[in-house]
Amino acid sequence: MPDIQWDSEASLMRVTPAATSAEIFEELVARGTLYELVGAFLELPPEQQDGLLLRAAGQDWTEEYDSDAIRELAARPEYIGVYGAYDTADPREDTAALREAES
């Protein structure tokens, strides 16, 4: 998945097979940017994440992501913003160091 275009238009769909035929039904869950819908997917309870499909499109491309691929998108550094800093860092330590530097 090179160069994800996070600001592309996307749709989050619930895909369910029909009970009596080989048809598949799709229900629109949400529309927004790819970035927004990955976040919306993560906010859903795990049992509601299964059966979702995320479709993103640009001018000359279309991409579909199933629930596993959406989780992989969410783990990408571009999505979570991890560039050299740990998320577990104590923010109180940073603010104390800033106050000392300002003095």
Side-chain angles (χ1 to χ4, degrees), residues 1-2 4-6 8-9 15 17 28 34 43 54 59 65 91:
M1 286 183 246
I4 304 296
Q5 297 181 16
W6 294 102
S8 299
E9 292 184 27
V15 180
L28 179 65
L34 178 60
E43 291 175 359
L54 181 57
Q59 188 170 1
Y65 305 96

Side-chain angles (χ1 to χ4, degrees), residues 2 5 19 25-26 42 66 76 82:
Q5 297 181 16
F25 294 106
E26 294 181 351
L42 293 175
D66 64 7
R76 292 179 64 90
V82 177

Side-chain angles (χ1 to χ4, degrees), residues 23-93:
E23 293 183 57
I24 295 177
F25 294 106
E26 294 181 351
E27 174 189 0
L28 179 65
V29 176
R31 286 186 196 259
T33 65
L34 178 60
Y35 187 88
E36 293 169 332
L37 294 182
V38 168
F41 173 86
L42 293 175
E43 291 175 359
L44 292 172
E47 62 274 3
Q48 291 182 9
Q49 292 176 353
D50 291 331
L52 290 180
L53 181 70
L54 181 57
R55 286 195 184 116
Q59 188 170 1
D60 58 350
W61 62 274
T62 301
E63 191 73 44
E64 290 186 352
Y65 305 96
D66 64 7
S67 55
D68 291 333
I70 298 170
R71 289 182 192 98
E72 289 176 18
L73 283 174
R76 292 179 64 90
E78 309 93 285
Y79 183 77
I80 57 177
V82 177
Y83 289 105
Y86 293 107
D87 287 339
T88 56
D90 187 354
R92 292 172 288 172
E93 292 177 16

